Amino acid sequence: MSQTDLAEVPTALPPAAATDLLDRGYNRRDLARIATMFGIGALAATSGRPAWAAAGVPDPAPAAKTRIGANECWTGPLAPGQAAAHKAVAISNRYSPHDERGDFIRTVSAIEGVPADHVAPWPGSSDPLSRSVISFCSPGKGLVTADPTFELAGRTAEWLGVSVTRAPLTADYRHDVKAMLAADPNAGLYYVCTPNNPTGTITPLEDIAWLVKNKPDGAKVLVDEAYIHFAGVPSAVPIMLGNKDVIVLRTFSKIFGMAGMRMGFVMTAPENIAKMMRYDGGMQSGALPMPSLACATASLTAKTLIAKRKAEMEAAREFAIARVKAKGLKVVPTQANMFMIDWQTKPAKAMQEAFRTQSVEIGRSWPIWPTVSRVTVGSMADMKLFALALEKVWAG
Ligand code: PLP
């Protein structure tokens, strides 16, 4: 590609990123779309957001009193995180009062046992998730996901005209890694969400290791661990450390109660981080709000409080699931802060409407399972209100 060709490209992307995208088979219209994705992060929070963003940013607050629909935490950041954020607000006249970004990276590095150059913070994990699709898929290298799973990667790919193949979960709700590979043996990216949203189920590390070993050369395996602290299962980080084609994604939007503060991070080989950053010169990762960085750093080390929050969630989940099962309904066995109810005879959309009449906002359903709703585990008080509403809406 010559400089003259590039001059005609309708994009604000840096020339090297534009050249790479064109070389990988994207066209000029795709480039404009990709530039839009990186330029409208703030707009994505409005109701007029494009389809690719719809799964990553929750809808405006529902009117319901009990909000157990969006997999948010029922309470705010951990106390040490809140204290650190308050302190950071007071000195936010400085762009970086004392290397808060570095502090965050060093803390992640120590806790997760990864070299500091393998860590990059981001404002939430939605951006790096979409960015992974752009960076490692192309018109000739598709995306493979499970079904059902978190939709953002698939929606980003569809928005860009990248092929998406979805492989149903196994009968015991793991990602069917063999079926995923068979579905598209030449994909650019295999997305593994564990614990999976919406099922809350785990894909064992052996399955992930198998996929990493058998995937095509150069393809990436993206392991989304948004809910890992709720499950307390081992991370895919050791697999990532042994293979440069693995990316691990985390967010502070779940157990850390920081969805509105926008913090997340990726762990992967530095060359992948560089590839993911080239569309905006590292702007999103480099310019994070100080209070969010400080809150995240202080929260990561609060081990006892994390364990306490997990136990609180488990008690509320056990209570709610017992009430659902008492109605003779089936629940997918979950290890995260969500569970799925199969209403069997009723569409999930109708049940969501029925719960709304009781001022309880439960979660959505997935096309592959139209009679199954996702319910987020809230506080024990939330789940008691959920159980009361259930009594009213489920007569069967
Ligand atoms: N990954 C999974 C599995 C999620 O469920 C979500 C949000 O619900 C995200 C990523 C993105 O969240 P955020 O952008 O708030 O980090």
Side-chain angles (χ1 to χ4, degrees):
M1 257 226 94
S2 72
Q3 282 305 113
T4 329
D5 290 332
L6 273 175
E8 291 163 25
V9 175
T11 168
L13 292 167
T19 306
D20 168 69
L21 287 163
L22 291 168
D23 288 349
R24 286 194 288 128
Y26 285 103
N27 63 33
R28 284 150 198 264
R29 191 166 150 266
D30 299 332
L31 261 60
R33 290 192 151 211
I34 290 167
T36 312
M37 289 176 83
F38 294 120
I40 58 157
L43 275 185
T46 73
S47 53
R49 63 187 184 262
W52 64 267
V57 184
D59 285 324
K65 215 165 55 186
T66 306
R67 290 164 58 176
I68 47 173
N71 278 1
E72 296 155 325
C73 192
W74 62 94
T75 187
L78 298 170
Q82 292 201 21
H86 278 130
K87 273 196 197 154
V89 167
I91 49 173
S92 286
N93 53 313
R94 303 282 173 210
Y95 288 109
S96 179
H98 43 250
D99 194 20
E100 280 74 5
R101 187 173 185 276
D103 285 348
F104 174 81
I105 290 174
R106 283 184 287 274
T107 305
V108 171
S109 165
I111 287 183
E112 301 292 340
V114 300
D117 65 357
H118 281 53
V119 181
W122 246 287
S125 54
S126 295
D127 176 307
L129 186 44
S130 290
R131 215 176 260 263
S132 300
V133 174
I134 296 165
S135 305
F136 306 115
C137 295
S138 65
K141 297 242 175 239
L143 168 75
V144 182
T145 78
D147 196 8
T149 194
F150 186 55
E151 307 97 321
L152 182 57
R155 288 201 183 150
T156 305
E158 275 160 1
W159 198 69
L160 287 171
V162 165
S163 90
V164 185
T165 318
R166 297 179 173 89
L169 297 172
T170 60
D172 58 354
Y173 307 103
R174 284 172 293 126
H175 281 51
D176 191 337
V177 288
K178 291 196 171 146
M180 285 175 77
L181 185 57
D184 184 352
N186 192 32
L189 186 67
Y190 296 85
Y191 173 61
V192 177
C193 184
T194 179
N196 187 37
N197 177 7
T199 52
T201 48
I202 308 296
T203 296
L205 291 185
E206 305 88 81
D207 291 359
I208 297 173
W210 183 90
L211 182 59
V212 171
K213 188 161 169 241
N214 290 284
K215 70 170 184 58
D217 266 1
K220 307 290 173 194
V221 175
L222 176 62
V223 186
D224 185 341
E225 297 185 336
Y227 300 93
I228 192 163
H229 289 90
F230 278 125
V233 293
S235 162
V237 159
I239 300 177
M240 180 279 290
L241 287 173
N243 192 305
K244 66 174 176 34
D245 288 333
V246 181
I247 304 161
V248 177
L249 201 55
R250 296 276 181 86
T251 177
F252 289 85
S253 297
K254 306 304 169 185
I255 204 165
F256 294 105
M258 290 175 56
M261 291 185 85
R262 312 306 302 134
M263 267 301 293
F265 62 100
V266 302
M267 290 179 281
T268 189
E271 65 201 75
N272 295 332
I273 293 175
K275 278 189 181 157
M276 291 168 73
M277 280 188 181
R278 66 181 149 185
Y279 308 102
D280 60 354
M283 187 67 192
Q284 287 289 321
S285 173
L288 289 156
M290 289 303 125
S292 301
L293 272 171
C295 185
T297 304
S299 299
L300 273 176
T301 47
K303 253 186 153 181
T304 315
L305 295 176
I306 296 170
K308 191 167 163 256
R309 196 168 270 193
K310 173 174 177 276
E312 236 179 280
M313 182 283 293
E314 284 166 346
R317 185 178 67 193
E318 199 184 329
F319 165 82
I321 290 179
R323 299 297 284 264
V324 174
K325 286 191 174 163
K327 297 269 168 227
L329 292 165
K330 273 207 266 173
V331 176
V332 174
T334 170
Q335 296 196 57
N337 63 326
M338 67 195 98
F339 57 91
M340 297 199 91
I341 307 172
D342 189 350
W343 307 108
Q344 289 149 31
T345 54
K346 291 196 180 145
K349 283 208 165 108
M351 291 307 296
Q352 191 180 35
E353 284 300 327
F355 272 94
R356 273 184 195 140
T357 67
Q358 305 301 311
S359 205
V360 173
E361 183 70 23
I362 64 166
R364 61 187 184 273
S365 57
W366 271 249
I368 191 173
W369 295 344
T371 61
V372 182
S373 298
R374 187 193 70 191
V375 177
T376 301
V377 181
S379 64
M380 184 60 95
D382 288 335
M383 299 330 278
K384 284 187 174 159
L385 290 169
F386 162 77
L388 278 179
L390 180 68
E391 291 302 322
K392 298 212 174 105
V393 302
W394 189 258

Short mmCIF file of all heavy atoms in Angstrom, two decimals, residues 122-175:
data_model
loop_
_atom_site.label_atom_id
_atom_site.label_comp_id
_atom_site.label_asym_id
_atom_site.label_seq_id
_atom_site.Cartn_x
_atom_site.Cartn_y
_atom_site.Cartn_z
N TRP A 122 -7.56 -1.28 30.89
CA TRP A 122 -8.48 -0.68 29.91
C TRP A 122 -9.73 -0.23 30.66
O TRP A 122 -10.02 -0.77 31.74
CB TRP A 122 -8.89 -1.73 28.86
CG TRP A 122 -8.38 -1.39 27.49
CD1 TRP A 122 -8.84 -0.40 26.67
CD2 TRP A 122 -7.31 -2.02 26.77
NE1 TRP A 122 -8.13 -0.38 25.50
CE2 TRP A 122 -7.18 -1.37 25.53
CE3 TRP A 122 -6.45 -3.08 27.07
CZ2 TRP A 122 -6.23 -1.72 24.57
CZ3 TRP A 122 -5.51 -3.43 26.12
CH2 TRP A 122 -5.40 -2.75 24.89
N PRO A 123 -10.45 0.73 30.12
CA PRO A 123 -11.68 1.14 30.81
C PRO A 123 -12.80 0.11 30.61
O PRO A 123 -13.67 0.28 29.77
CB PRO A 123 -12.04 2.49 30.16
CG PRO A 123 -11.31 2.53 28.87
CD PRO A 123 -10.16 1.57 28.95
N GLY A 124 -12.76 -0.99 31.36
CA GLY A 124 -13.71 -2.09 31.19
C GLY A 124 -13.16 -3.10 30.21
O GLY A 124 -12.11 -2.89 29.58
N SER A 125 -13.86 -4.23 30.09
CA SER A 125 -13.36 -5.26 29.19
C SER A 125 -14.10 -5.29 27.86
O SER A 125 -13.73 -6.04 26.96
CB SER A 125 -13.40 -6.64 29.86
OG SER A 125 -14.70 -6.90 30.34
N SER A 126 -15.15 -4.48 27.72
CA SER A 126 -15.88 -4.47 26.43
C SER A 126 -14.96 -4.00 25.31
O SER A 126 -14.94 -4.61 24.23
CB SER A 126 -17.08 -3.52 26.50
OG SER A 126 -18.02 -3.97 27.43
N ASP A 127 -14.21 -2.92 25.56
CA ASP A 127 -13.34 -2.39 24.52
C ASP A 127 -12.30 -3.42 24.08
O ASP A 127 -12.20 -3.74 22.89
CB ASP A 127 -12.71 -1.07 25.00
CG ASP A 127 -11.70 -0.50 24.00
OD1 ASP A 127 -10.78 -1.24 23.59
OD2 ASP A 127 -11.80 0.67 23.63
N PRO A 128 -11.51 -4.00 25.01
CA PRO A 128 -10.54 -5.00 24.53
C PRO A 128 -11.17 -6.24 23.90
O PRO A 128 -10.54 -6.90 23.08
CB PRO A 128 -9.73 -5.35 25.78
CG PRO A 128 -10.44 -4.76 26.94
CD PRO A 128 -11.34 -3.67 26.43
N LEU A 129 -12.41 -6.54 24.29
CA LEU A 129 -13.10 -7.69 23.68
C LEU A 129 -13.39 -7.39 22.20
O LEU A 129 -13.05 -8.19 21.32
CB LEU A 129 -14.38 -7.96 24.47
CG LEU A 129 -15.24 -9.17 24.18
CD1 LEU A 129 -14.42 -10.42 23.99
CD2 LEU A 129 -16.24 -9.38 25.32
N SER A 130 -13.98 -6.23 21.94
CA SER A 130 -14.24 -5.86 20.53
C SER A 130 -12.93 -5.69 19.77
O SER A 130 -12.80 -6.09 18.61
CB SER A 130 -14.99 -4.52 20.48
OG SER A 130 -16.29 -4.69 20.95
N ARG A 131 -11.96 -5.12 20.42
CA ARG A 131 -10.65 -4.86 19.82
C ARG A 131 -9.93 -6.17 19.44
O ARG A 131 -9.19 -6.23 18.46
CB ARG A 131 -9.81 -4.16 20.88
CG ARG A 131 -8.87 -3.14 20.42
CD ARG A 131 -8.25 -2.56 21.67
NE ARG A 131 -8.84 -1.30 22.05
CZ ARG A 131 -8.32 -0.12 21.74
NH1 ARG A 131 -7.20 -0.05 21.09
NH2 ARG A 131 -8.91 0.98 22.11
N SER A 132 -10.14 -7.21 20.24
CA SER A 132 -9.52 -8.51 19.91
C SER A 132 -10.07 -9.03 18.60
O SER A 132 -9.35 -9.62 17.79
CB SER A 132 -9.81 -9.54 21.00
OG SER A 132 -9.30 -9.11 22.21
N VAL A 133 -11.39 -8.83 18.41
CA VAL A 133 -12.00 -9.30 17.15
C VAL A 133 -11.37 -8.55 15.98
O VAL A 133 -10.98 -9.15 14.97
CB VAL A 133 -13.53 -9.08 17.19
CG1 VAL A 133 -14.16 -9.42 15.85
CG2 VAL A 133 -14.16 -9.90 18.31
N ILE A 134 -11.24 -7.22 16.12
CA ILE A 134 -10.66 -6.42 15.03
C ILE A 134 -9.20 -6.81 14.80
O ILE A 134 -8.74 -6.93 13.67
CB ILE A 134 -10.75 -4.92 15.37
CG1 ILE A 134 -12.21 -4.51 15.44
CG2 ILE A 134 -9.99 -4.07 14.36
CD1 ILE A 134 -12.43 -3.17 16.12
N SER A 135 -8.48 -7.03 15.90
CA SER A 135 -7.04 -7.28 15.80
C SER A 135 -6.71 -8.65 15.22
O SER A 135 -5.68 -8.81 14.57
CB SER A 135 -6.38 -7.18 17.18
OG SER A 135 -6.67 -5.94 17.77
N PHE A 136 -7.54 -9.65 15.53
CA PHE A 136 -7.14 -11.01 15.19
C PHE A 136 -8.09 -11.73 14.22
O PHE A 136 -7.79 -12.83 13.77
CB PHE A 136 -6.93 -11.81 16.48
CG PHE A 136 -5.97 -11.13 17.41
CD1 PHE A 136 -6.38 -10.65 18.66
CD2 PHE A 136 -4.66 -10.89 17.02
CE1 PHE A 136 -5.49 -9.97 19.50
CE2 PHE A 136 -3.76 -10.21 17.85
CZ PHE A 136 -4.18 -9.75 19.09
N CYS A 137 -9.25 -11.13 13.94
CA CYS A 137 -10.12 -11.67 12.90
C CYS A 137 -10.02 -10.77 11.69
O CYS A 137 -9.46 -9.67 11.76
CB CYS A 137 -11.59 -11.71 13.35
SG CYS A 137 -11.89 -12.81 14.73
N SER A 138 -10.57 -11.22 10.58
CA SER A 138 -10.56 -10.42 9.35
C SER A 138 -11.62 -11.03 8.45
O SER A 138 -12.21 -12.07 8.79
CB SER A 138 -9.18 -10.49 8.70
OG SER A 138 -8.93 -11.82 8.30
N PRO A 139 -11.86 -10.44 7.28
CA PRO A 139 -12.85 -11.06 6.39
C PRO A 139 -12.50 -12.52 6.06
O PRO A 139 -13.39 -13.32 5.79
CB PRO A 139 -12.81 -10.16 5.15
CG PRO A 139 -12.43 -8.81 5.70
CD PRO A 139 -11.44 -9.10 6.80
N GLY A 140 -11.23 -12.88 6.13
CA GLY A 140 -10.86 -14.28 5.83
C GLY A 140 -10.65 -15.14 7.06
O GLY A 140 -10.45 -16.35 6.95
N LYS A 141 -10.64 -14.55 8.24
CA LYS A 141 -10.38 -15.32 9.48
C LYS A 141 -11.49 -15.00 10.47
O LYS A 141 -11.53 -13.90 11.05
CB LYS A 141 -9.04 -14.91 10.09
CG LYS A 141 -7.84 -15.21 9.22
CD LYS A 141 -6.92 -16.20 9.91
CE LYS A 141 -5.78 -16.59 9.01
NZ LYS A 141 -5.70 -18.01 8.73
N GLY A 142 -12.36 -15.95 10.65
CA GLY A 142 -13.57 -15.70 11.42
C GLY A 142 -13.39 -15.80 12.93
O GLY A 142 -12.29 -15.99 13.46
N LEU A 143 -14.54 -15.67 13.59
CA LEU A 143 -14.62 -15.78 15.04
C LEU A 143 -15.43 -17.03 15.38
O LEU A 143 -16.43 -17.32 14.71
CB LEU A 143 -15.34 -14.54 15.59
CG LEU A 143 -15.79 -14.60 17.06
CD1 LEU A 143 -14.59 -14.41 17.99
CD2 LEU A 143 -16.85 -13.54 17.36
N VAL A 144 -15.01 -17.74 16.42
CA VAL A 144 -15.81 -18.88 16.91
C VAL A 144 -16.17 -18.62 18.36
O VAL A 144 -15.30 -18.27 19.17
CB VAL A 144 -15.04 -20.21 16.79
CG1 VAL A 144 -15.92 -21.37 17.26
CG2 VAL A 144 -14.60 -20.46 15.35
N THR A 145 -17.44 -18.77 18.68
CA THR A 145 -17.87 -18.62 20.08
C THR A 145 -18.73 -19.83 20.45
O THR A 145 -19.12 -20.63 19.59
CB THR A 145 -18.73 -17.35 20.31
OG1 THR A 145 -20.07 -17.59 19.84
CG2 THR A 145 -18.16 -16.13 19.61
N ALA A 146 -19.05 -19.90 21.73
CA ALA A 146 -20.01 -20.91 22.20
C ALA A 146 -21.41 -20.33 22.00
O ALA A 146 -21.59 -19.18 21.63
CB ALA A 146 -19.76 -21.21 23.66
N ASP A 147 -22.43 -21.17 22.27
CA ASP A 147 -23.81 -20.71 22.21
C ASP A 147 -24.60 -21.46 23.26
O ASP A 147 -24.65 -22.69 23.20
CB ASP A 147 -24.36 -21.00 20.80
CG ASP A 147 -25.63 -20.21 20.53
OD1 ASP A 147 -26.00 -19.34 21.34
OD2 ASP A 147 -26.26 -20.48 19.49
N PRO A 148 -25.19 -20.77 24.25
CA PRO A 148 -25.18 -19.34 24.41
C PRO A 148 -23.90 -18.85 25.09
O PRO A 148 -23.30 -19.57 25.89
CB PRO A 148 -26.38 -19.10 25.36
CG PRO A 148 -26.42 -20.34 26.22
CD PRO A 148 -25.97 -21.45 25.31
N THR A 149 -23.53 -17.60 24.78
CA THR A 149 -22.42 -16.96 25.49
C THR A 149 -22.62 -15.45 25.42
O THR A 149 -23.58 -14.97 24.81
CB THR A 149 -21.06 -17.38 24.92
OG1 THR A 149 -20.02 -17.00 25.84
CG2 THR A 149 -20.76 -16.71 23.58
N PHE A 150 -21.72 -14.70 26.04
CA PHE A 150 -21.77 -13.24 25.99
C PHE A 150 -21.64 -12.81 24.54
O PHE A 150 -20.72 -13.26 23.84
CB PHE A 150 -20.64 -12.67 26.86
CG PHE A 150 -20.69 -11.18 27.00
CD1 PHE A 150 -21.84 -10.54 27.46
CD2 PHE A 150 -19.59 -10.40 26.68
CE1 PHE A 150 -21.88 -9.16 27.59
CE2 PHE A 150 -19.62 -9.02 26.83
CZ PHE A 150 -20.77 -8.40 27.28
N GLU A 151 -22.51 -11.92 24.10
CA GLU A 151 -22.68 -11.68 22.66
C GLU A 151 -21.74 -10.66 22.04
O GLU A 151 -21.68 -10.52 20.82
CB GLU A 151 -24.11 -11.21 22.36
CG GLU A 151 -25.22 -12.09 22.89
CD GLU A 151 -25.76 -11.58 24.21
OE1 GLU A 151 -24.96 -11.12 25.05
OE2 GLU A 151 -26.97 -11.66 24.43
N LEU A 152 -21.02 -9.89 22.85
CA LEU A 152 -20.32 -8.72 22.30
C LEU A 152 -19.31 -9.07 21.20
O LEU A 152 -19.26 -8.39 20.16
CB LEU A 152 -19.63 -7.93 23.43
CG LEU A 152 -18.90 -6.66 22.99
CD1 LEU A 152 -19.82 -5.69 22.27
CD2 LEU A 152 -18.27 -5.97 24.20
N ALA A 153 -18.53 -10.13 21.40
CA ALA A 153 -17.54 -10.49 20.37
C ALA A 153 -18.26 -10.81 19.06
O ALA A 153 -17.89 -10.31 17.99
CB ALA A 153 -16.70 -11.69 20.82
N GLY A 154 -19.33 -11.61 19.16
CA GLY A 154 -20.09 -11.99 17.97
C GLY A 154 -20.71 -10.79 17.29
O GLY A 154 -20.71 -10.69 16.06
N ARG A 155 -21.24 -9.87 18.09
CA ARG A 155 -21.88 -8.69 17.48
C ARG A 155 -20.85 -7.79 16.80
O ARG A 155 -21.13 -7.22 15.75
CB ARG A 155 -22.62 -7.90 18.55
CG ARG A 155 -23.84 -8.64 18.98
CD ARG A 155 -24.86 -7.76 19.62
NE ARG A 155 -25.94 -8.61 20.05
CZ ARG A 155 -26.71 -8.38 21.08
NH1 ARG A 155 -26.53 -7.29 21.80
NH2 ARG A 155 -27.67 -9.21 21.40
N THR A 156 -19.69 -7.67 17.41
CA THR A 156 -18.64 -6.85 16.79
C THR A 156 -18.26 -7.46 15.44
O THR A 156 -18.16 -6.76 14.43
CB THR A 156 -17.39 -6.81 17.70
OG1 THR A 156 -17.79 -6.34 18.97
CG2 THR A 156 -16.32 -5.89 17.13
N ALA A 157 -18.08 -8.79 15.44
CA ALA A 157 -17.69 -9.47 14.20
C ALA A 157 -18.77 -9.28 13.14
O ALA A 157 -18.48 -8.93 11.99
CB ALA A 157 -17.45 -10.95 14.47
N GLU A 158 -20.03 -9.48 13.52
CA GLU A 158 -21.12 -9.34 12.54
C GLU A 158 -21.17 -7.93 11.98
O GLU A 158 -21.39 -7.72 10.79
CB GLU A 158 -22.45 -9.70 13.20
CG GLU A 158 -22.70 -11.20 13.15
CD GLU A 158 -23.72 -11.67 14.17
OE1 GLU A 158 -24.27 -10.83 14.91
OE2 GLU A 158 -23.96 -12.89 14.21
N TRP A 159 -20.95 -6.96 12.85
CA TRP A 159 -20.99 -5.55 12.43
C TRP A 159 -19.92 -5.26 11.39
O TRP A 159 -20.08 -4.42 10.52
CB TRP A 159 -20.83 -4.67 13.68
CG TRP A 159 -21.27 -3.26 13.47
CD1 TRP A 159 -22.55 -2.81 13.29
CD2 TRP A 159 -20.44 -2.10 13.46
NE1 TRP A 159 -22.55 -1.45 13.16
CE2 TRP A 159 -21.28 -0.98 13.26
CE3 TRP A 159 -19.07 -1.89 13.60
CZ2 TRP A 159 -20.80 0.31 13.20
CZ3 TRP A 159 -18.59 -0.59 13.54
CH2 TRP A 159 -19.44 0.50 13.35
N LEU A 160 -18.81 -6.01 11.49
CA LEU A 160 -17.69 -5.80 10.55
C LEU A 160 -17.74 -6.75 9.36
O LEU A 160 -16.84 -6.76 8.53
CB LEU A 160 -16.37 -6.02 11.28
CG LEU A 160 -15.96 -4.94 12.26
CD1 LEU A 160 -14.75 -5.38 13.06
CD2 LEU A 160 -15.66 -3.64 11.53
N GLY A 161 -18.76 -7.61 9.32
CA GLY A 161 -18.84 -8.57 8.23
C GLY A 161 -17.86 -9.72 8.35
O GLY A 161 -17.56 -10.40 7.37
N VAL A 162 -17.37 -9.96 9.57
CA VAL A 162 -16.47 -11.10 9.82
C VAL A 162 -17.36 -12.31 10.14
O VAL A 162 -18.35 -12.18 10.87
CB VAL A 162 -15.55 -10.78 11.03
CG1 VAL A 162 -14.87 -12.03 11.56
CG2 VAL A 162 -14.52 -9.72 10.64
N SER A 163 -17.00 -13.49 9.63
CA SER A 163 -17.89 -14.64 9.86
C SER A 163 -17.85 -15.09 11.32
O SER A 163 -16.80 -15.05 11.97
CB SER A 163 -17.50 -15.80 8.92
OG SER A 163 -16.55 -16.62 9.55
N VAL A 164 -19.02 -15.45 11.84
CA VAL A 164 -19.12 -15.92 13.23
C VAL A 164 -19.71 -17.31 13.21
O VAL A 164 -20.75 -17.54 12.61
CB VAL A 164 -20.06 -15.01 14.06
CG1 VAL A 164 -20.06 -15.45 15.52
CG2 VAL A 164 -19.70 -13.55 13.93
N THR A 165 -19.03 -18.25 13.88
CA THR A 165 -19.57 -19.60 14.01
C THR A 165 -19.82 -19.85 15.49
O THR A 165 -18.96 -19.55 16.31
CB THR A 165 -18.56 -20.65 13.48
OG1 THR A 165 -17.99 -20.15 12.29
CG2 THR A 165 -19.23 -21.97 13.21
N ARG A 166 -21.00 -20.38 15.78
CA ARG A 166 -21.37 -20.60 17.19
C ARG A 166 -21.55 -22.09 17.43
O ARG A 166 -22.34 -22.73 16.72
CB ARG A 166 -22.66 -19.85 17.52
CG ARG A 166 -22.51 -18.33 17.39
CD ARG A 166 -23.81 -17.59 17.71
NE ARG A 166 -23.59 -16.16 17.73
CZ ARG A 166 -23.68 -15.36 16.68
NH1 ARG A 166 -24.02 -15.85 15.50
NH2 ARG A 166 -23.45 -14.06 16.79
N ALA A 167 -20.84 -22.62 18.42
CA ALA A 167 -20.98 -24.05 18.73
C ALA A 167 -21.73 -24.19 20.05
O ALA A 167 -21.31 -23.62 21.06
CB ALA A 167 -19.59 -24.69 18.84
N PRO A 168 -22.85 -24.95 20.05
CA PRO A 168 -23.60 -25.11 21.30
C PRO A 168 -22.72 -25.66 22.42
O PRO A 168 -21.75 -26.40 22.17
CB PRO A 168 -24.68 -26.13 20.93
CG PRO A 168 -24.83 -26.01 19.44
CD PRO A 168 -23.46 -25.64 18.92
N LEU A 169 -23.04 -25.30 23.66
CA LEU A 169 -22.34 -25.84 24.83
C LEU A 169 -22.54 -27.36 24.88
O LEU A 169 -23.49 -27.88 24.29
CB LEU A 169 -22.90 -25.21 26.12
CG LEU A 169 -22.75 -23.69 26.28
CD1 LEU A 169 -23.52 -23.20 27.51
CD2 LEU A 169 -21.27 -23.30 26.41
N THR A 170 -21.67 -28.05 25.63
CA THR A 170 -21.86 -29.50 25.81
C THR A 170 -23.09 -29.74 26.70
O THR A 170 -23.63 -28.80 27.29
CB THR A 170 -20.64 -30.11 26.53
OG1 THR A 170 -20.53 -29.47 27.81
CG2 THR A 170 -19.34 -29.91 25.75
N ALA A 171 -23.47 -31.01 26.83
CA ALA A 171 -24.64 -31.33 27.66
C ALA A 171 -24.43 -30.89 29.10
O ALA A 171 -25.39 -30.60 29.82
CB ALA A 171 -24.91 -32.82 27.58
N ASP A 172 -23.15 -30.84 29.56
CA ASP A 172 -22.91 -30.36 30.92
C ASP A 172 -22.43 -28.89 30.91
O ASP A 172 -21.76 -28.44 31.86
CB ASP A 172 -21.96 -31.28 31.71
CG ASP A 172 -20.61 -31.44 31.03
OD1 ASP A 172 -20.45 -30.93 29.90
OD2 ASP A 172 -19.71 -32.06 31.63
N TYR A 173 -22.78 -28.17 29.86
CA TYR A 173 -22.65 -26.70 29.81
C TYR A 173 -21.22 -26.17 29.77
O TYR A 173 -20.96 -25.05 30.16
CB TYR A 173 -23.43 -26.04 30.97
CG TYR A 173 -24.86 -26.50 31.04
CD1 TYR A 173 -25.26 -27.44 32.00
CD2 TYR A 173 -25.80 -26.03 30.14
CE1 TYR A 173 -26.58 -27.87 32.06
CE2 TYR A 173 -27.11 -26.46 30.19
CZ TYR A 173 -27.50 -27.38 31.16
OH TYR A 173 -28.80 -27.81 31.21
N ARG A 174 -20.28 -27.02 29.32
CA ARG A 174 -18.93 -26.50 29.05
C ARG A 174 -18.88 -25.97 27.62
O ARG A 174 -19.73 -26.32 26.80
CB ARG A 174 -17.90 -27.64 29.15
CG ARG A 174 -17.56 -28.08 30.54
CD ARG A 174 -16.68 -29.32 30.51
NE ARG A 174 -17.39 -30.49 30.00
CZ ARG A 174 -16.97 -31.24 28.98
NH1 ARG A 174 -15.86 -30.97 28.33
NH2 ARG A 174 -17.68 -32.29 28.59
N HIS A 175 -17.85 -25.17 27.31
CA HIS A 175 -17.60 -24.87 25.90
C HIS A 175 -17.17 -26.17 25.25
O HIS A 175 -16.30 -26.88 25.79
CB HIS A 175 -16.46 -23.84 25.76
CG HIS A 175 -16.88 -22.43 26.02
ND1 HIS A 175 -17.57 -22.04 27.14
CD2 HIS A 175 -16.72 -21.29 25.29
CE1 HIS A 175 -17.80 -20.74 27.10
NE2 HIS A 175 -17.29 -20.25 25.98
#
